[in-house]
Amino acid sequence: ELLLAERAGAIAGACVIDNADDPTYAVASWRVDVPQPEVGVLHLFVIDPACRRQGIAPVLLEAAAQEARKRGFATLRLDVFDNNEPAVRLYLAHGYEDRGVFTLHYGDGVVHAAHLMELDLRA
C-alpha cells in the first residue's frame, strides 16, 4: 500500500505499508507478540526536503497507522538508520518504541546499523 501526502497539488511525502516477513527483523525482541499476518511494516517513509518542518510527517505517520489498523495489523514496525537522529526523534515522538540498534543486511550488500522500532496499534 503506497500512501502519498500532497501539498499544493504536489507530492510532499510518501511511505509504503505491507506485511513483509523480513527475516532481519527477527533479531529484535518485539513487545507486541502477534502472528505474522497481524504485523505491518512501514517502509520508505520520506518527506520532500522542500516540505520539511511543515507538519506533513506527523500527518503521514498518522495516516499510515490508520491504514495499518484498517488492514487488521496489531503492530507497525520499521527500521531507521542509526545515524538518522531526526527520524528517530520523529518516530519516538509519535508513539514508536525503540527496540534497539542492530546491524541489518539490506539488498545489494548494504550493511548498516539501524534502530528497529514498533508502534502498538491496539492501544
Side-chain angles (χ1 to χ4, degrees), residues 34-109:
V34 293
Q36 183 58 35
E38 295 179 38
V39 176
V41 181
L42 180 66
H43 302 276
L44 306 170
F45 189 89
V46 63
I47 303 297
D48 181 331
C51 297
R52 290 185 182 154
R53 294 177 182 44
Q54 297 179 23
I56 295 167
V59 172
L60 186 56
L61 276 179
E62 181 54 35
Q66 287 178 7
E67 180 62 29
R69 284 185 190 98
K70 189 167 99 177
R71 293 183 62 185
F73 298 144
T75 183
L76 192 54
R77 298 174 179 165
L78 61 84
D79 62 270
V80 57
F81 282 180
D82 67 328
N83 60 350
N84 189 347
E85 211 39 55
V88 171
R89 283 193 310 270
L90 172 74
Y91 297 129
L92 289 172
H94 289 88
Y96 284 81
E97 184 178 332
D98 193 341
R99 303 305 297 163
V101 176
F102 303 90
T103 300
L104 301 183
H105 298 264
Y106 297 90
D108 298 327

